[in-house]
Every structure is written in C-alpha cells, then in structure tokens.
Amino acid sequence: MGKIVALANQKGGVGKTTTAINLAASLAVLGKKTLLVDADPQANATSGLGFDNSGDNIYDVINGDSQAADVILRSDDIKNLWLMPSSINLVGAETELSNTENGHFVLKGMLDGVKDAYDYILIDCSPSLGFVTVNALVAADSVLIPVQCEYFALEGLGKLLNTIKMVKEELNPALEIEGFVMTMYSRTRLANQVTVEVREHFGPLAFETIVQRNIRLSEAPSYGKPALLYDAASTGSVNYLNLAKEFIKRNRKSARK
C-alpha cells in the first residue's frame, strides 16, 4: 500500500511546488512508483512537469464527473512517474466541498481507490489552509513542510502546525509530520541562523539534506521539466536526488519499527 504525503505550507514562495515536482521525479528515478497530485488551482506542478490541463483533472474527480484513475497521466520522460493534473477550476472546489456532506473526506476517498498502485503519492497543496488543503491533510499519512531559509518563513509555521494538530485530533488521528525541508538556502548568516533554529526546535524531524538556491531549479519549470531532466548535474538536481534518498531511507527505518 502506498504512502500519501502532503506537501504543505500556507506561506507562498517557499519552494513547495518545486519540492513536490523534483522530489516526485527523484523518487521515480530511484525506482519508486510515484504519483504527484496537483491540488493547487495555479496548476504549477502540472505545467512544471510538461503536462497541460485541458483534459479532465482533479476538479472533475472532486465534483464526481470522473474517476481518479481516469484522469491520472503517465510521464513519457520519467519511468515510474504519474500526475493527477489540476486547473483553475479547482478554486470552485473550496465552496463545493464545504457544502458537501463529509466534505473533508472527498480527496481521501479519491486516493484510497488508487493508493495500492504506487509506492508514494505526493500532494502539492495550495499556499493556503483552505478546504482543499484540509482535504489533503485528511487523506495523507504524513505532512512534508518546506521551510524557506529566511526570517519570515518561521512566522507562519505556528499556524500550519496548529492546523495539522486540529486535523489530527478531529479528522485524521494517524497524521504525522514527515519532516521539515530547508529550501532556498544561500550561504548567509541569516540562512544559517534559520537552519540552526529549525534543527534545534524540530530535531530529527528536520531533514539533513538542504536545498540550495539554484538558477536551474528556477529555469526548469519553464521547459516543463524537473531539474534532473533539465540539468542533471545542477546543484538543485543533486540536492533533490539526495533528499529523495534520505526520504526513502527514513521510511525504510520507519517501516522496520
């Protein structure tokens, strides 16, 4: 049975979608069957992997017009990688889900039907704590939190952690924190300070791998490619491949317990 991991942070610009795309691609390259679910109306994960959103997508599954398995697309470029695309229509799901009985569990029901086909399902959440993001947290086994190596990045973590706590207490008792990933790191005193604070506060939940600022990571989405296809030797590509290896190693240890 596959593990579902939501990537969430209500603060925009922290590298959440970049992490979702490149971690999913790296896991796939390492032989793990990986589904990336684009649960953000901006659909950046969809375009960042070179897919368009002109066909049926996650919104069509949420409103009952399609089945999850029917909208999932397979990557032609990376073996073991699949995508459930998104579109701007997903904005409407916020209202529709809130008016639906058991609306918090719609995404869980969607993914339970395809969970066994993958090793990992990563959900790229929108930069908000709205109804769709809560759906993702209800569906997930764990939450991976990208943290930008800047001062204001720490300010919003409290609100996110409170939301995770609420979901765990009221809707998904099995929800755990997968870990915190430091992103957009540069060799400055501030970035080092933020990294130290995160490690001191969250201990082993902070991943050892740090994702550095890298122009190739910024350029790759405009070509519809993850970094490892755009420039496999780039710092960003190497960082995310190392993150994927650490991610797999952590989950292997967890499975043994």
Side-chain angles (χ1 to χ4, degrees):
M1 181 177 291
K3 182 175 185 178
I4 301 177
V5 182
L7 284 84
N9 193 325
Q10 81 278 10
K11 186 179 184 303
V14 299
K16 176 183 55 58
T17 297
T18 298
T19 298
I21 291 172
N22 289 285
L23 177 57
S26 296
L27 288 170
V29 165
L30 292 172
K32 301 299 181 181
K33 292 183 178 179
T34 306
L35 169 64
L36 176 56
V37 177
D38 191 348
D40 186 345
Q42 297 178 85
N44 289 333
T46 300
S47 61
L49 282 177
F51 292 97
D52 65 43
N53 52 10
S54 58
D56 290 349
N57 54 70
I58 187 173
Y59 176 71
D60 298 292
V61 183
I62 287 174
N63 68 21
D65 290 340
S66 300
Q67 297 297 312
D70 296 331
V71 307
I72 292 173
L73 304 173
R74 185 169 190 161
S75 172
D76 293 329
D77 300 318
I78 299 179
K79 185 180 178 181
N80 297 319
L81 181 61
W82 288 262
L83 172 79
M84 181 181 289
S86 184
S87 78
I88 190 62
N89 294 336
L90 190 59
V91 170
E94 291 288 336
T95 302
E96 293 171 22
L97 287 172
S98 65
N99 294 327
T100 301
E101 185 178 1
N102 295 320
H104 289 109
F105 296 89
V106 172
L107 188 56
K108 175 177 171 56
M110 289 167 45
L111 296 181
D112 279 350
V114 299
K115 191 174 183 179
D116 290 349
Y118 306 97
D119 295 308
Y120 296 109
I121 297 176
L122 305 185
I123 308 175
D124 182 32
C125 300
S126 63
S128 72
L129 295 178
F131 223 84
V132 175
T133 297
V134 172
N135 253 261
L137 296 178
V138 172
D141 298 300
S142 64
V143 190
L144 182 65
I145 305 171
V147 180
Q148 185 181 10
C149 293
E150 293 188 2
Y151 175 76
F152 290 116
L154 299 175
E155 290 192 338
L157 282 182
K159 188 174 182 180
L160 174 61
L161 294 175
N162 284 336
T163 299
I164 293 171
K165 181 181 178 182
M166 178 273 292
V167 171
K168 185 177 176 69
E169 290 176 349
E170 301 180 15
L171 299 167
N172 182 5
L175 183 65
E176 301 291 344
I177 294 178
E178 185 76 26
F180 298 83
V181 178
M182 306 304 300
T183 63
M184 300 183 179
Y185 175 84
S186 55
R187 298 183 186 280
T188 64
R189 182 183 301 174
L190 177 58
N192 287 327
Q193 181 181 344
V194 171
T195 302
V196 168
E197 288 186 24
V198 170
R199 293 200 188 287
E200 287 181 350
H201 191 75
F202 297 109
L205 284 176
F207 277 80
E208 288 296 324
T209 305
I210 296 176
V211 179
Q212 301 177 54
R213 284 192 180 275
N214 179 240
I215 189 64
R216 295 302 197 204
L217 283 177
S218 301
E219 293 174 346
S222 65
Y223 292 88
K225 295 180 179 181
L228 58 81
L229 287 185
Y230 180 62
D231 185 349
S234 67
T235 299
S237 176
V238 173
N239 288 164
Y240 277 112
L241 196 58
N242 288 335
L243 178 64
K245 291 176 181 177
E246 184 179 354
F247 179 92
I248 292 170
K249 184 177 180 180
R250 283 182 173 216
N251 277 280
R252 193 178 294 132
K253 286 183 178 179
S254 178
R256 293 197 193 106
K257 293 180 180 180

